Amino acid sequence: MTRLTIRKPDDWHVHFRDGDILKSVAPFTAAHFARAIVMPNLVPPVTTAKMAADYRARIMAAVKGHAFTPLMTCYLTDDTDRRDLIAGFSDGVFTAVKLYPAHATTNSAAGVKSIDKVMPVLEAMAEAGMRLCVHGEVPLPEIDVFDREKAFIDRVLLPLLARVPTLKIIMEHVTTKDGVAVVRAHKDRLGATLTPQHLLYNRNALFAGGLRPHMYCLPVLKREEHRLALRQAATSGEPGFFLGTDSAPHLRHLKEADCGCAGVFGAPAALAAYLKVFEEEKALDRFEAFASLNGPAFYGLPPNEERVTLEKRPSLVCDEVEVGKLGEIHPLFGGDQVDWSLAPAS
Ligand code: NCD
Ligand code: ZN
């Protein structure tokens, strides 16, 4: 197969940042996707409907010329105001809520310290039909960095499923066979996004010939057995698994540093990266389910009506994306040739 026509895909997990970085990175997502779930981990985080509406307006200005809808999320804290949250959801400002365990990842210091404290918010969300996106890691120093997803499943996710029986939860950027298994075991309640980097690479990529800061993201890349389980899940067509790039841009000098930031900037080559996986797994016929159908179905949203054609045509991924005077960002596959491209609209 060298051409594939599918409903236009959505990206169910992206970081756009703000200011000059937003202006430089958002057009890459808007060029390929109809909608995207936009992460709220700005500094300061997006915690109110007013902040989300203002941020959405800045995103719309940054993607002018593209038909693109940003779907906003609220950064959950121990002090989230549930009335503002549910009103924001009813008004169409918020689509979902993001739970970062405090200190789990980039800009998560204000994240949730006590699940007990946020229970009333989670119950109100369940009643309103609002989805919860979780960063599924327990960031305690005594837990090995490669075991933090499993610890989250056992200590946080399973108890949460039991305590709020109608809340639907998305395990963002699932990275282990344990994550895949728990999604399968709770089909009506759990979904999961999968990133290109976790489908393409195992943890050896972090140390291939030397330390590779551009391969570092959170959750960190895992063992090969986990990558194989993720590939099987993504290409299975099962409704619980869908596309979410976790495109997380950081300036080059902040990644290539003594203490480098976590995040892979996947947006420019995201579709090509996923299609490489689906082609290798001989599952191109299931790409539409993963990229365009399962995500909206889990969120209770209609799929996109517009169709796009993806074709096997080599193209070069830019080596860097300039961000005004701030510096540049090195994307996934930056400087490399990829096999799949979006066909020009006819
Ligand atoms: C993300 C970021 O940079 O905001 N980083 C990452 O490694 N994925 C945060 C996140 O999604 O964990
Ligand atoms: Zn993320």
Side-chain angles (χ1 to χ4, degrees):
M1 201 188 302
T2 56
R3 280 171 78 82
L4 190 63
T5 297
I6 60 170
R7 286 179 191 259
K8 194 165 183 183
D10 302 304
D11 183 350
W12 298 95
H13 183 130
V14 73
H15 300 265
F16 280 156
R17 317 303 188 200
D18 212 340
D20 286 341
I21 298 188
L22 165 65
K23 289 183 198 134
S24 294
V25 304
F28 288 100
T29 297
H32 297 100
F33 299 100
R35 297 171 287 193
I37 285 274
V38 180
M39 289 296 130
N41 60 334
L42 303 183
V43 187
V46 179
T47 51
T48 67
K50 165 88 172 76
M51 290 172 94
D54 292 349
Y55 184 31
R56 182 169 65 181
R58 297 196 295 281
I59 296 168
M60 292 309 287
V63 301
K64 230 175 14 233
H66 293 284
F68 176 74
T69 305
L71 304 174
M72 309 310 290
T73 57
C74 179
Y75 185 114
L76 186 64
T77 73
D78 287 4
D79 305 311
T80 296
D81 175 348
R82 71 173 187 276
R83 274 176 214 90
D84 178 74
L85 179 74
I86 301 301
F89 179 59
S90 308
D91 294 345
V93 175
F94 284 131
T95 298
V97 170
K98 180 65 186 274
L99 183 160
Y100 290 101
H103 307 292
T105 186
T106 308
N107 303 338
S108 63
V112 171
K113 295 178 193 71
S114 153
I115 287 281
D116 286 341
K117 263 194 116 174
V118 299
M119 280 310 285
V121 177
L122 300 178
E123 279 157 7
M125 287 171 58
E127 196 181 315
M130 194 175 189
R131 308 291 185 261
L132 178 70
C133 306
V134 297
H135 182 107
E137 292 192 286
V138 176
L140 294 175
E142 62 268 28
I143 303 179
D144 190 283
V145 71
F146 294 100
D147 298 333
R148 289 179 178 182
E149 186 165 293
K150 173 84 168 73
F152 182 87
I153 293 167
D154 296 339
R155 298 186 190 190
V156 184
L157 185 62
L158 293 173
L160 188 57
L161 286 169
R163 277 179 86 173
V164 195
T166 53
L167 184 64
K168 286 196 166 194
I169 301 174
I170 299 104
M171 276 195 83
E172 299 295 346
H173 40 55
V174 75
T175 62
T176 60
K177 62 181 185 184
D178 312 280
V180 167
V182 78
V183 169
R184 285 191 171 132
H186 299 268
K187 283 191 177 49
D188 49 335
R189 304 279 310 281
L190 283 181
T193 54
L194 294 115
T195 80
Q197 61 269 23
H198 293 101
L199 295 170
L200 287 166
Y201 306 107
N202 65 34
R203 63 191 194 174
N204 288 349
L206 285 162
F207 310 109
L211 195 56
R212 298 289 184 171
H214 294 281
M215 285 286 117
Y216 174 54
C217 64
L218 288 170
V220 71
L221 296 172
K222 300 295 193 303
R223 279 179 182 277
E224 179 66 358
E225 63 177 314
H226 296 296
R227 186 184 75 102
L228 295 178
L230 301 178
R231 284 170 78 99
Q232 199 279 329
T235 57
S236 67
E238 290 168 51
F241 302 103
F242 39 93
L243 188 159
T245 60
D246 192 21
S247 179
H250 291 279
L251 294 167
R252 185 191 280 280
H253 72 273
L254 297 177
K255 283 193 72 68
E256 298 172 8
D258 182 39
C259 182
C261 295
V264 171
F265 177 42
L271 283 181
Y274 283 117
L275 283 161
K276 177 174 161 60
V277 172
F278 276 72
E279 185 175 36
E280 286 168 358
E281 298 292 330
K282 303 193 175 24
L284 286 171
D285 58 327
R286 294 197 277 275
F287 187 63
E288 184 176 36
F290 177 75
S292 318
L293 300 174
N294 296 348
F298 193 84
Y299 274 88
L301 297 170
N304 299 310
E305 283 307 322
E306 191 187 338
R307 265 65 175 178
V308 293
T309 297
L310 301 150
E311 57 188 9
K312 218 168 166 192
R313 172 172 51 84
S315 63
L316 199 64
V317 181
C318 56
D319 190 37
E320 10 207 57
V321 171
E322 303 291 335
V323 186
K325 291 194 191 68
L326 293 179
E328 74 280 337
I329 303 169
H330 178 65
L332 180 67
F333 286 139
D336 293 346
Q337 184 177 293
V338 289
D339 293 340
W340 287 86
S341 308
L342 199 57
S346 49

